[in-house]
Amino acid sequence: ALDHIVPAGADVVYDVLDVVRRVVDHGWLLEAAPAHARNVVTAFARLDGRAVGVVANQPAHLAGVLDGDASTKAARFVRFCDAFRIPVVSFVDVPGFLPGRDQEAGGIIRHGAKLLFAYAEATVPKLAVVLRKAYGGAYCVMSSSHLRGDLNLVWPTAEIAVMGAKAAVQVLHGEKASLELEAAHAEEQCNPLMALHEGYVHEVIQPRRTRARLIEELRLLEHKDPRMMPLPDVPKRHANMPL
């Protein structure tokens, strides 16, 4: 069922909970703050009997975009999981950060930095699956491999890029933009194999293998030792969180 659950069109709405429930044990989830910042889902679940924290962009609300409230909600949840040694599994389908004067005035950069910091500092197992798209800075903060993620999977139809093909072609070609140029750009720059070649993801998998692959990695990471994490040369008592 997972092979066909996510629409091919990047702008088509779907409920990410339909994906998550097909991956976790018995389709069971306990959402944290479900009525707040609904464009991101935070929930507790189990994978092969192991407790995990789930963070997922929600395309059914604001297209899954990250705004200030969603960033802070997800950051707090990731830090909670890290504090209690609960692995974090992220399901990524994010078009970017929400633009606009109100978001800028509200400190979207600061709030986004909280989420980036939370993922980067967390020493629990961090697994992520890119379902459909991961664009720009929002891709980076959603448990990307650049933040020391332990496993970053991507589905074959997903896109990892600075922006979508249509927007990129408009920027690059202006009035000469066309559907043919969009298709060529998508094939050359947004192909998940490109991300795999560059080392941004660890594996391209068929959706139906998602649950089995996550369980396999959780078993390998069951005894992950935070002391083996790379640390800065200058000793300090703790990192400096962006507040």
Side-chain angles (χ1 to χ4, degrees), residues 11-129:
D11 299 327
V12 181
V13 172
Y14 71 96
D15 189 345
V16 76
L17 289 175
D18 292 338
V19 175
V20 178
R21 288 193 178 103
R22 284 168 168 80
V23 174
V24 301
D25 292 358
H26 312 299
W28 182 88
L29 287 169
L30 176 62
E31 282 196 68
H36 174 64
R38 292 164 52 206
N39 38 326
V40 67
V41 172
T42 52
F44 297 101
R46 288 186 181 274
L47 270 173
D48 196 33
R50 295 172 173 82
V52 297
V54 172
V55 179
N57 305 112
Q58 177 56 285
H61 188 76
L62 294 178
V65 70
L66 285 176
D67 58 7
D69 288 343
S71 298
T72 300
K73 173 184 174 180
R76 180 176 177 83
F77 184 78
V78 170
R79 289 178 65 80
F80 179 94
C81 291
D82 190 49
F84 290 93
R85 300 181 181 179
I86 301 172
V88 178
V89 180
S90 304
F91 295 86
V92 184
D93 188 347
V94 61
F97 282 98
L98 183 64
R101 180 181 300 175
D102 291 342
Q103 286 295 311
E104 295 290 344
I108 182 62
I109 300 298
R110 183 176 72 253
H111 295 304
K114 294 176 184 177
L115 182 54
L116 184 147
F117 181 92
Y119 272 121
E121 188 187 47
T123 58
V124 295
K126 294 178 288 188
L127 290 68
V129 185

Side-chain angles (χ1 to χ4, degrees), residues 128-140:
V129 185
V130 180
L131 306 179
R132 184 169 60 173
K133 60 183 179 297
Y135 294 155
Y139 149 71
C140 293

Side-chain angles (χ1 to χ4, degrees), residues 3 9 19 124 135 165 197 215 227:
D3 287 349
V19 175
V124 295
Y135 294 155
H197 175 73
I215 289 174
R227 292 173 298 179

Side-chain angles (χ1 to χ4, degrees), residues 81-198:
C81 291
D82 190 49
F84 290 93
R85 300 181 181 179
I86 301 172
V88 178
V89 180
S90 304
F91 295 86
V92 184
D93 188 347
V94 61
F97 282 98
L98 183 64
R101 180 181 300 175
D102 291 342
Q103 286 295 311
E104 295 290 344
I108 182 62
I109 300 298
R110 183 176 72 253
H111 295 304
K114 294 176 184 177
L115 182 54
L116 184 147
F117 181 92
Y119 272 121
E121 188 187 47
T123 58
V124 295
K126 294 178 288 188
L127 290 68
V129 185
V130 180
L131 306 179
R132 184 169 60 173
K133 60 183 179 297
Y135 294 155
Y139 149 71
C140 293
V141 306
M142 283 299 298
S143 194
S144 67
S145 60
H146 314 292
L147 301 182
R148 302 187 297 189
D150 294 294
L151 179 69
N152 290 80
L153 304 173
V154 60
W155 287 3
T157 56
E159 298 180 354
I160 298 176
V162 175
M163 62 184 72
K166 182 176 181 179
V169 168
Q170 288 176 344
V171 171
L172 293 171
H173 301 280
E175 296 180 355
K176 296 181 180 179
S178 66
L179 294 177
E180 290 76 12
L181 288 173
E182 288 180 26
H185 183 89
E187 179 63 27
E188 295 174 6
Q189 302 297 327
C190 302
N191 191 313
L193 295 178
M194 174 73 72
L196 180 66
H197 175 73
E198 296 294 334

